[in-house]
Amino acid sequence: MQTKDLIRQLLINIGEDPERDVLNKTPERVAEFWGYATRGYKVDIDAVLKESVSNDKYDQMILVKDIDYYSLCEHHLVPFFGKAHIAYIPAGKTIGLSKIPRIVDAFARRLQIQERLTKQVAEAIQNVLQPKGVAVVIEATHLCMQMRGVEKHNSVVTTSAMFGVFRENERTRMEFLDLIKISRI
Ligand SMILES: [Zn+2]
């Protein structure tokens, strides 16, 4: 069954009339939206990363913060979204800075839970670069919680994944958290 037919059935199940004026184009629009919102499944993340790896002696922290992302929670198929902050300390290899938001996007544009998204981004960088450390912090607003009234409005959930020196060395971790202005994890 095609996605648009499923959506048409969904409209009927919730008590709507799929033939009603504007609604008759909704199944196609929704099907197209789902293709876009889950396009991350088609991205080969290792390939994206590997084509951009270069040997580099730079050994200070590289930080990309405030990366906007949009994902879909796999419990409710409802959006969660917010900011991702990513840092790593290279050990001989770096990647182009523009690749970092692309990694986030590739993992976010799938059905996700926030914790797994955080870990997958950190592991992808860890595996390709083998850096001295990698740190990922993801802040999220979950519409499934807010719309159901589970959480207070405007509450943001923060998750983190830290490897290497970010895990072992408190000063390095604090420096990172300070740069992204997060006081607690
Ligand atoms: Zn949910």
Side-chain angles (χ1 to χ4, degrees), residues 55-95:
N55 293 322
D56 198 324
K57 289 208 168 65
Y58 190 76
D59 64 355
Q60 303 297 308
M61 187 187 302
I62 294 171
L63 168 68
V64 183
K65 63 178 186 172
D66 295 328
I67 302 166
D68 288 313
Y69 73 89
Y70 296 88
S71 192
L72 289 160
C73 98
E74 68 183 13
H75 304 117
H76 303 93
L77 309 187
V78 169
F80 70 92
F81 54 90
K83 304 265 187 209
H85 315 285
I86 293 157
Y88 69 98
I89 298 178
K93 287 186 205 166
T94 58
I95 39 169

Side-chain angles (χ1 to χ4, degrees), residues 153-165:
H153 283 289
N154 302 321
S155 65
V156 173
V157 180
T158 304
T159 49
S160 70
M162 309 262 175
F163 296 136
V165 287

Side-chain angles (χ1 to χ4, degrees), residues 108-125:
R109 301 282 189 181
R110 305 171 181 205
L111 301 189
Q112 275 292 5
I113 56 173
Q114 186 183 343
E115 294 85 344
R116 188 173 66 222
L117 173 61
T118 310
K119 199 159 162 249
Q120 284 177 333
V121 171
E123 283 172 351
I125 295 170

